[in-house]
Amino acid sequence: TGAGLVVALIMLVMMSAGAISLVRAVSTGRLMAANLAFRQAAVLASDASNESAIEWLRTQIATAALYADQPNQGYYASAPDDLDITGTQASGVVIDWDDDDCNKASAPTCVKASKSLAADAAGNVVRYAIHRLCRLAGSPQGGANSCLMAGGSASASSKRSSLSYGASSRFSTSMQVYYRITVRVRGPRNTVVFTQSLAHF
């Protein structure tokens, strides 16, 4: 009987350990599912910021206003090579998403983002920064400038757009500059999501 009691106790301990492991696995699975749901909601929230940025660009596109930086709107007429969208790197250019003068980074150049859009029903707050994909500010047709452009194919039978990056003097006037929209979403449970998209008009 003594041996049977020992075996029963061992089995009880093993079953208890298995039950604890199962509970932990279920809890971890639920936490991961919740985190994925928050992340997906944040990604969807970035669409609103993209639309806001595109609408702002649309109101400026027919003027020369986009030839110069507009920091209060989160707009920059050129795209630096060493841009860090997370705002944490120690060198280059970082975006000030939190209006704290880039305190989390020690980079020498800190640039502003747009004002925050109103938080959505899930508590996601979004901001954006727009960079015109040019080497320099000023006219994209300037001799010293170089921009990423989109335009119709030279072939009349083809309607596909083409991408080019080089001396602007090589571009026809029908070609259009690309703008890169970087969006940061901050949501519940410290969810942070960055998205980027390209637009041309």
Side-chain angles (χ1 to χ4, degrees):
T1 58
L5 180 60
V6 171
V7 171
L9 289 173
I10 292 173
M11 292 297 295
L12 181 61
V13 170
M14 292 176 63
M15 291 175 64
S16 298
I20 292 171
S21 298
L22 180 60
V23 169
R24 287 185 175 177
V26 170
S27 297
T28 301
R30 290 179 61 188
L31 181 61
M32 290 177 63
N35 288 342
L36 287 172
F38 281 122
R39 180 175 179 81
Q40 184 63 28
V43 171
L44 292 175
S46 70
D47 286 346
S49 190
N50 269 320
E51 291 299 325
S52 179
I54 289 170
E55 186 57 33
W56 181 83
L57 282 170
R58 197 184 308 279
T59 64
Q60 307 284 315
I61 203 69
T63 71
L66 297 181
Y67 291 1
D69 294 346
Q70 298 186 46
N72 290 333
Q73 299 293 335
Y75 171 80
Y76 300 91
S78 61
D81 293 329
D82 51 356
L83 177 68
D84 170 39
I85 65 171
T86 66
T88 58
Q89 75 179 16
S91 62
V93 180
V94 298
I95 300 174
D96 185 14
W97 296 113
D98 297 315
D99 292 327
D100 60 0
D101 295 323
C102 301
N103 281 339
K104 296 187 179 95
S106 55
T109 306
C110 179
V111 297
K112 292 182 178 181
S114 70
K115 293 179 174 61
S116 299
L117 275 65
D120 64 13
N124 294 300
V125 178
V126 293
R127 303 181 75 174
Y128 64 80
I130 305 172
H131 287 87
R132 188 179 67 157
L133 297 186
C134 292
R135 296 291 184 194
L136 304 170
S139 170
Q141 303 299 329
N145 212 346
S146 177
C147 300
L148 183 65
M149 310 283 278
S153 170
S155 170
S157 62
S158 173
K159 294 185 178 180
R160 293 183 180 179
S161 292
S162 59
L163 289 174
S164 301
Y165 198 67
S168 59
S169 59
R170 295 164 52 196
F171 300 136
S172 68
T173 55
S174 64
M175 299 188 79
Q176 302 160 335
V177 179
Y178 269 95
Y179 299 86
R180 182 180 62 212
I181 303 168
T182 303
V183 176
R184 190 199 70 166
V185 184
R186 181 179 289 280
R189 295 192 185 179
N190 295 319
T191 302
V192 177
V193 169
F194 295 93
T195 64
Q196 287 188 313
S197 57
L198 294 178
H200 69 86
F201 300 87

